[in-house]
Structures are given as structure tokens and as C-alpha cells.
Amino acid sequence: MSLNMFSLKGKTALVTGANTGLGQGICVAYAQAGANVIGVARRSCQETADKIAAVSGSFTEIIADLSDVSVIPYIVEEAHKAHERVDIVVNNAGIIKRCDAIDVTMEDWDSVININEKVVFFLSQAFAKRWHEDGKGGKIINIASMLSYQGGIRVPAYAASKSAVMGITKALANEWASHNININAIAPGYMATNNTANLRSDDQRSDEILSRIPAGRWGTPDDIMGAAIFLASDASAYVNGFTIAVDGGWLAR
Ligand code: NAD
């Protein structure tokens, strides 16, 4: 047993939604753990690049819109131009649309399901195809949610997509664990990022949420760094298809 098993030295990690919030935190954590990081985002990842430069890490940005699966071959191609092999894929990019269920449009439903669910599956498949060919395995980490377990309020497409993320994680683990691919998920609790800006600015909802979190505070991108490194490293070699909640105790209530 040694701390070396948590090292990502010599590995390359691709993280979607790398320009803000949890994705940015995961990128910085992986750079600190020694990985080359490739960040995929719709917009510039300059802030992430600066944070990684500050820890003398390696960062490459791929600008791509993940609202449709047709962008996936481009991402795979660009990633392999930057590095010979991608070892770790983090499906972090995601959107949430708040609306009474009775008013949800098909357009909004599709936009949430596409990025939160369909792209998660097909980006995983695209890299897994390479890993099946070279036989060297890999790590996939999906970002799930408390709404992988619960229904939430006024976010039915999000709840459906994040429940699917937990299902995809288990389904792929069953097929790919024997290919030395670990596929697991992290379910963040209520974290202070853009995703929860509306909730945090609503005093009533914010108080309701805070009073239910045993840790008594919103989480931060720093809080998921440990779980993200664990699931990307050799330390999790025999962990398959599991979703780790990093939630300040929310699910324990
Ligand atoms: P965020 O809004 O800061 O991050 C979302 C990321 O997804 C951004 O980097 C954004 O650029 C990217 N993204 C969105 N649409 C995209 C598109 N079409 N193409 C490319 N990238 C796109 O919020 P966050 O909290 O950091 O969210 C990250 C993940 O964590 C999401 O999957 C979210 O559902 C999940 N999550 C967040 C919380 C929370 O409380 N903040 C809780 C559970 C799960």
C-alpha cells in the first residue's frame, strides 16, 4: 500500500465542461496528481489553463459544443493529436433547465437528454473502442447527481438524465470491466457552481437545502477532487459500476 497508487503521472485525462465549476476543479486535481489534462468546452478554458500552469501542469483545450453527438469524432481526433493515448475520460459537462413539468417543451427535454445522457454514453463508447483495440484499459468517470437517486423539483428532464447516468455507469461496467475499463460515477451534492446559481439566489430554496445538508454548507469543486482522483487512479482498480456520493451527507438524511 502506498500513496503512489493515487498518482496519475504519465496518464492523460480528458474532462468535458472544463471551463467552469466541477469540471475545472477536476482538471486542476488531475494536473496536481501528475496527469496531462485535455479540457473540452464550448468556450475558452483560459482560467482553467492558468490554474494548471500555476501548478506546472500540462493542459490542452478542445473547443467543442457537446449539445449533439456528431461532435464526438472531432473530439477523439483532436485528443489524439495532442496525446498518443487518452487513459481517463470524465463526462462532466451537463445542463439543467428549471420549469414546471406541465410546461416542459420537447426541445428543452431533448437538449438536456442529449448532453447529460446521450453524449455521456457515446463519448464513453468512442474511447472504449480504442481501449478494446489496444487492450490497455481505461477509466471513465461520469458526473451523476442527487437526482440520480431523487426526483428533485421542477427539473424532470435533468432527473431523468442523471438517473440514466447511474444506469449507464452500471450497464457499461458489466460489459467493460473484463476489458480492464473501470467505469464509475460521482454524485455531487449541492455544490456552489453556475449549476445552482438560481437555487442559491432563491432565499427560501437555499435555506431549505442548507438546513437538510448535515455538513451545513454548500460543496465546492475542491470537495470532489479526492473522489475524482481515486476513481481515475490505480487505487480504484477493483471498483466497477459504483456511484460515489460527495454530498455533505445529503443522502444520509
Ligand atoms: P457549470 O454550469 O459550471 O458546469 C457545466 C459545464 O458544462 C460547463 O463547463 C459548461 O461549459 C459545460 N457545458 C454545458 N453545455 C455544454 C455544451 N453544449 N457543450 C460543451 N460544454 C457544455 O456547473 P457544474 O456544477 O460545474 O456542473 C458540472 C456537472 O456537475 C454537470 O453535469 C452537473 O449536472 C453536475 N452536478 C452539479 C451539481 C451542483 O450542485 N453544482 C450537483 C450535481 C451534479
Side-chain angles (χ1 to χ4, degrees), residues 14-192:
L14 180 140
V15 181
T16 66
N19 56 324
T20 56
L22 304 183
Q24 181 178 80
I26 293 169
C27 286
V28 174
Y30 284 174
Q32 286 173 333
N36 303 312
V37 180
I38 301 172
V40 181
R42 260 178 314 181
R43 284 184 269 282
S44 163
C45 297
Q46 194 52 50
E47 196 180 276
T48 307
D50 291 344
K51 287 184 180 221
I52 289 180
V55 296
S56 305
S58 146
F59 182 73
T60 308
E61 143 186 304
I62 299 174
I63 300 292
D65 184 345
L66 288 162
S67 57
D68 191 272
V69 289
S70 60
V71 76
I72 289 174
Y74 170 75
I75 293 171
V76 174
E77 193 184 318
E78 289 299 301
H80 289 102
K81 273 187 205 161
H83 293 282
E84 198 180 329
R85 188 175 199 279
V86 172
D87 307 284
I88 300 153
V89 172
V90 181
N91 286 303
N92 165 75
I95 57 172
I96 188 163
K97 298 208 174 199
R98 293 178 199 284
C99 177
D100 292 339
I102 206 78
D103 294 324
V104 170
T105 63
M106 287 191 197
E107 194 185 5
D108 279 354
W109 179 273
D110 285 346
S111 66
V112 172
I113 298 296
N114 268 337
I115 178 163
N116 291 12
E117 178 180 335
K118 195 170 175 185
V119 167
V120 168
F121 177 82
F122 284 103
L123 191 69
S124 302
Q125 185 198 57
F127 283 98
K129 278 184 180 169
R130 302 237 166 184
W131 298 342
H132 282 204
E133 277 165 21
D134 74 13
K136 292 183 186 164
K139 303 273 188 180
I140 296 171
I141 297 132
N142 297 326
I143 303 302
S145 167
M146 293 298 96
L147 302 196
S148 303
Y149 305 89
Q150 302 172 317
I153 299 171
R154 302 183 68 242
V155 286
Y158 186 81
S161 69
K162 292 297 184 177
S163 297
V165 165
M166 206 157 95
I168 288 169
T169 302
K170 289 186 275 195
L172 296 185
N174 290 340
E175 290 200 43
W176 297 347
S178 60
H179 292 268
N180 199 23
I181 297 171
N182 294 90
I183 170 154
N184 292 291
I186 297 171
Y190 285 82
M191 317 299 270

